[in-house]
C-alpha cells in the first residue's frame, strides 16, 4: 500500500528579476514575478528561493551533479559534458553574478594517471570533494569525443596551483546510462566513502562482501522478463552500494537488490538511506514496486529482480521500504543536518523526484532497530526536473534541474534571511534495538565462531531488523561452524530463522537434513510472520536445488 504524503503550507514567492524579495501564503495577494522559473516554484512559509545560474542559457549543458570544494566553490557536471567550477555570491548579494569556468584535468586516455594533454573531465553522475581530492563518478561508455569510460576517478592538485594535475582511476565500472554508476558519498565519520550504482552496473571485484554478488532468482514462480526488453540482459543483483577507503584500494559490497537509486544519505544517528525508483511499466501488476525510501542495513538484499521476479517486501531474507511514495524518478537524497533550517527540517531527508518536480521532506521516527517515516512536499514546481542537491557551506539548500539535455538551472533555498543561528546538531542516541543490530552487523564481513555465538540468541528476537542481522551473520559464516547446532536446536522460531540462512547454502545440505528440521518444527504454533519465513526458506532451498 502506498502511504499518503501530507502537504506542507506552500507559498508563492514575490521576485524582482531573478532575486527573491518576499514570500507570502497562497491566500495573500502576490505580485506576478518577472522570472517565470521562480513564479512556478513553491516553498514552505518562511523559506526563500533564488535562481542563481542557468547553464543551458550559457551553452554549458544540462547539469546533474555538484559538490562544494574546500574553498567554498561549487563544482558541477554536465550530464554529457564538462565539469565547471564557480564562486557563489553570498545570500543577499544582488550584484555578483555567477560565472562558471570549465575545469581542466589531465587526459585519461590509455589509463595514464598524468599527461600534458589536458582535456575536460565530465559525464559525472557523482561528485564529492573530500580528502583534498575531487572524486568523480564518470557515467559514460567511452567514444572518440570523450574516451574516458565509466568508473570512479580521483583528481588531485599535487603542486598547490589550484589546478588538478593528477587523475587516478580508482576502479573501472561496467555500466553506463541512467541505470549506471551514480553517486559518491562521504561516510558519517568522514574517514571513508560509499558509492551507489543502478541495476545496469555490474558488481566489480571487491575485497569483501556483506551480501553475495552472485545473486539468484530465489523464486519458484516462473519469471517473465520484460516484454519490451528493458532489463533483459542485466544481472539479478540489481543496484548496489559499496564501501571503500579514500585511496580506492579496499572495497566492500555493503547492500544490493535495488532498481535504480541515484544517491544515499546518512541521518544524524549514522544510519544509511536511499530513494529507490519504480518500474513505471509495471503499474497495475502484482510485482509493481513504487518509488520508496529504504533504510539500508548491512548485507541487505532489497529483492529487485528482472521482470516478474521481484521479491515481495515481506520476504524474510529481504528488507522492506520504510516509506512507499508512488510514481516518480528519484535522483537525489540529502540530509538536512547542516542546513540553517528549523530543526524539523535539519532532521529530515530531502528526496528529489525528477518526473514530478518535487522535493519531499522525509521525517524519520525510530521504530525498534529501524524507522518509520512520513513525508511532505517541501518544494515543488512545474516544470522542475530535479537532478542533484547539496547543503552549502552557508547552510542553504542548493539544487539543480536538468538532465536528458533539458534546460538546466541552479537554485538556492534558505530560511528567513539565511542567517538562522544554529548549533551543531546533536546526534540522536541510537536506541537499544538499534545498538544490538549494529553490534551484529559489525561481524557480517567475515563472521567467526564468536560472531555466531553472539548472533544465535537473537534469531528469535521480535525485532525484524535484529533478526535479519542475526540471520545474515549465519549466512555469511561457514556452514560447518553452525549446522550441527541448528540440527539440534529446540526452539521453533530460532530454528526457522536459521533455516532462512541455511536455504542460501542449499547445495551443502541433504534432503534428509531438511526433512529432519521440518519434522521438528511445529508450524501451527508459529505466528504468521514466522510461518511465512519457513515457507520462504523452503522456496529458496527448492529453487536452488
Amino acid at each position: 500500500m502506498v502511504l499518503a504524503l501530507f502537504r506542507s503550507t506552500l507559498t508563492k514567492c514575490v521576485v524582482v528579476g531573478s532575486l527573491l524579495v518576499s514570500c507570502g501564503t497562497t491566500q495573500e495577494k502576490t505580485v506576478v514575478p518577472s522570472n517565470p522559473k521562480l513564479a512556478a516554484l513553491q516553498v514552505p512559509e518562511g523559506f526563500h528561493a533564488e535562481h542563481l545560474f542557468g547553464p543551458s542559457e550559457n551553452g554549458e549543458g544540462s547539469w546533474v551533479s555538484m559538490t562544494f570544494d574546500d574553498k567554498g566553490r561549487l563544482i558541477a557536471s554536465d550530464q554529457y559534458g564538462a565539469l565547471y567550477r564557480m564562486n557563489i555570491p553570498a545570500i543577499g548579494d544582488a550584484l555578483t553574478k555567477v560565472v562558471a569556468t570549465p575545469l581542466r584535468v589531465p587526459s585519461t586516455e590509455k589509463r595514464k594517471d598524468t599527461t600534458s594533454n589536458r582535456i575536460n573531465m565530465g559525464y559525472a553522475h557523482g561528485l564529492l570533494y573530500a580528502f583534498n581530492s575531487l572524486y568523480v563518478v564518470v557515467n559514460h561508455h567511452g567514444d572518440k569525443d570523450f574516451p574516458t569510460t565509466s568508473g570512479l576517478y580521483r583528481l588531485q592538485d599535487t603542486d598547490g596551483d589550484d589546478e588538478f594535475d593528477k587523475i587516478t582511476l580508482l576502479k573501472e565500472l561496467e555500466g553506463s546510462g541512467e541505470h549506471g554508476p551514480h553517486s559518491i558519498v562521504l561516510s558519517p565519520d568522514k574517514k571513508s566513502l560509499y558509492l551507489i550504482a543502478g541495476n545496469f552496473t555490474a558488481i566489480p571485484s571487491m575485497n569483501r562482501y556483506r551480501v553475495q554478488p552472485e545473486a539468484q532468482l530465489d523464486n519458484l514462480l516462473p519469471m517473465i522478463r520484460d516484454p519490451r526488453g528493458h532489463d533483459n540482459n542485466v544481472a539479478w543483483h540489481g543496484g548496489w552500494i559499496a564501501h571503500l577507503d579514500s585511496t580506492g584500494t579496499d572495497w566492500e559490497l555493503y547492500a544490493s537488490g535495488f532498481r535504480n537509486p541515484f544517491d544515499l544519505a546518512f541521518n544524524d544517528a549514522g544510519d544509511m538511506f536511499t530513494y529507490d525508483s519504480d518500474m513505471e511499466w509495471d503499474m497495475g501488476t502484482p510485482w509493481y514496486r513504487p518509488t520508496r525510501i529504504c533504510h539500508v542495513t548491512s548485507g541487505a538484499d532489497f529483492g529487485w529482480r528482472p521482470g516478474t521476479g521481484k521479491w515481495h517486501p515481506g520476504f524474510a531474507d529481504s528488507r522492506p521500504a520504510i516509506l512507499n511514495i508512488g510514481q516518480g524518478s528519484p535522483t537525489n537524497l540529502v540530509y538536512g543536518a547542516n542546513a540553517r533550517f528549523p530543526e524539523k527540517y535539519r532532521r529530515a531527508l530531502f528526496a528529489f523526484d525528477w518526473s514530478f518536480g518535487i522535493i519531499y521532506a522525509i521525517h524519520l521516527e525510530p521504530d525498534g532497530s529501524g524507522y518509520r517515516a512520513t513525508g511532505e512536499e517541501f518544494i515543488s514546481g512545474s516544470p522542475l526536473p530535479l537532478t542533484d542537491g547539496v547543503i552549502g557551506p552557508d547552510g542553504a539548500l542548493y539544487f539543480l534541474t536538468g538532465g536528458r539535455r533539458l534546460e538546466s538551472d541552479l537554485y538556492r533555498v534558505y530560511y528567513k534571511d539565511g542567517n538562522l543561528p544554529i548549533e551543531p546538531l546533536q546526534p540522536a542516541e541510537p536506541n537499544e534495538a538499534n545498538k544490538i543490530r549494529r553490534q551484529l552487523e559489525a561481524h557480517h564481513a567475515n563472521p567467526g565462531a564468536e560472531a555466531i555465538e553472539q548472533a544465535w540468541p537473537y534469531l528469535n528476537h521480535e525485532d525484524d531488523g535484529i533478526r535479519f542481522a542475526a540471520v545474515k551473520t549465519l549466512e555469511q559464516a561457514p556452514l560447518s561452524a553452525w549446522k550441527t547446532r541448528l540440527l539440534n536446536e529446540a526452539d521453533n522460531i530460532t530454528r526457522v530463522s536459521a533455516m532462512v540462512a541455511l536455504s542460501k547454502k542449499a547445495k551443502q545440505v541433504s534432503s534428509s537434513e531438511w526433512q529432519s528440521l521440518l519434522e521438528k518444527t511445529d508450524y501451527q504454533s508459529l505466528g504468521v510472520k514466522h510461518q511465512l519465513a519457513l515457507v520462504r526458506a523452503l522456496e529458496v532451498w527448492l529453487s536452488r536445488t
Side-chain angles (χ1 to χ4, degrees), residues 193-348:
L193 305 167
Y194 286 85
L195 185 142
I196 190 166
N199 61 329
F200 287 12
T201 314
I203 296 177
S205 175
M206 299 193 191
N207 304 82
R208 293 174 306 283
Y209 301 88
R210 289 175 178 258
V211 56
Q212 295 306 309
E214 300 86 8
Q216 299 191 39
L217 181 61
D218 288 334
N219 196 330
L220 282 179
L221 294 176
M223 184 182 69
I224 303 172
R225 287 191 177 268
D226 178 11
R228 297 179 66 175
H230 178 69
D231 55 12
N232 288 358
N233 298 311
V234 297
W236 287 344
H237 56 65
W240 48 271
I241 296 172
H243 185 206
L244 60 143
D245 69 336
S246 62
T247 64
T249 56
D250 188 76
W251 288 69
E252 179 180 75
L253 185 62
Y254 187 80
S256 64
F258 305 100
R259 183 175 183 257
N260 190 30
F262 269 69
D263 206 355
L264 64 91
F266 294 90
N267 70 349
D268 52 279
D271 281 316
M272 181 194 297
F273 301 86
T274 192
Y275 182 19
D276 199 11
S277 69
D278 65 339
M279 177 52 158
E280 56 271 28
W281 301 342
D282 287 346
M283 281 287 293
T285 66
W287 54 90
Y288 173 71
R289 307 200 308 184
T291 69
R292 55 196 196 147
I293 303 295
C294 299
H295 173 209
V296 184
T297 58
S298 168
D301 183 336
F302 282 82
W304 179 91
R305 297 295 187 269
T308 63
K310 297 169 183 63
W311 294 1
H312 188 280
F315 281 176
D317 52 341
S318 184
R319 301 299 295 135
I322 61 170
L323 180 67
N324 288 325
I325 291 180
Q327 284 185 283
S329 295
T331 52
N332 182 68
L333 192 68
V334 61
Y335 193 62
N338 295 323
R340 290 185 178 274
F341 290 177
E343 183 156 334
K344 169 186 176 182
Y345 293 112
R346 294 184 69 201
R347 296 190 185 274

